[in-house]
Amino acid sequence: VLSFIIFICYIASLAASFMMAPLLEFLLALFLFFAYASRLNEKFKGVHWPLADFVRCVTAAIIYFAISIAAVSKYGDGASKAAGVFGFAATIVFAIDFYITFNDLVTFLKQGSSDSPEGHKTE
């Protein structure tokens, strides 16, 4: 939702060149949401879903931070300032999601790596 709000703010502002990043992030988050909701993560085991979510969070936080600084410092209209403020809020939200996803990724990787060596040790 926050990405969609930022997208709308960038469309209404002079900083319309930044609108692609929130749009792509919104669509990617929507895809991952529906993938988890429809349990695609259980059907397609070849894709490392926690890693995909982790990469999405990291790149979103970095990109939102960078374009928010540019929007606030370079453009003076209200919509650009609002998009920058919402972008900083999105940076914080994605950083929190990054931390949570990192913990899930570590448990996922420990689970995957502990299965293989124990299987070989017991045999």
Side-chain angles (χ1 to χ4, degrees):
V1 173
L2 197 54
S3 293
F4 187 70
I5 292 171
I6 295 168
F7 172 69
I8 297 297
C9 287
Y10 278 128
I11 286 178
S13 73
L14 294 174
S17 59
F18 294 138
M19 74 176 184
M20 189 55 95
L23 177 65
L24 288 176
E25 183 55 41
F26 172 71
L27 293 176
L28 196 61
L30 200 62
F31 169 73
L32 285 175
F33 174 73
F34 282 120
Y36 279 117
S38 63
R39 299 182 189 250
L40 285 176
N41 58 336
E42 295 172 0
K43 294 177 185 175
F44 296 106
K45 297 288 186 182
V47 177
H48 296 287
W49 293 96
L51 183 61
D53 198 21
F54 175 75
V55 169
R56 181 191 61 86
C57 291
V58 170
T59 57
I62 293 169
I63 289 171
Y64 274 131
F65 186 69
I67 66 174
S68 296
I69 289 175
V72 169
S73 65
K74 189 174 179 182
Y75 299 97
D77 60 322
S80 296
K81 300 283 184 191
V85 169
F86 281 124
F88 286 128
T91 301
I92 293 169
V93 168
F94 281 116
I96 292 169
D97 193 21
F98 160 83
Y99 176 74
I100 293 168
T101 307
F102 180 74
N103 289 335
D104 291 343
L105 182 63
V106 167
T107 1
F108 176 76
L109 291 176
K110 283 183 181 177
Q111 176 187 11
S113 66
S114 66
D115 289 343
S116 300
E118 287 179 8
H120 295 297
K121 289 179 185 177
T122 58
E123 292 177 358

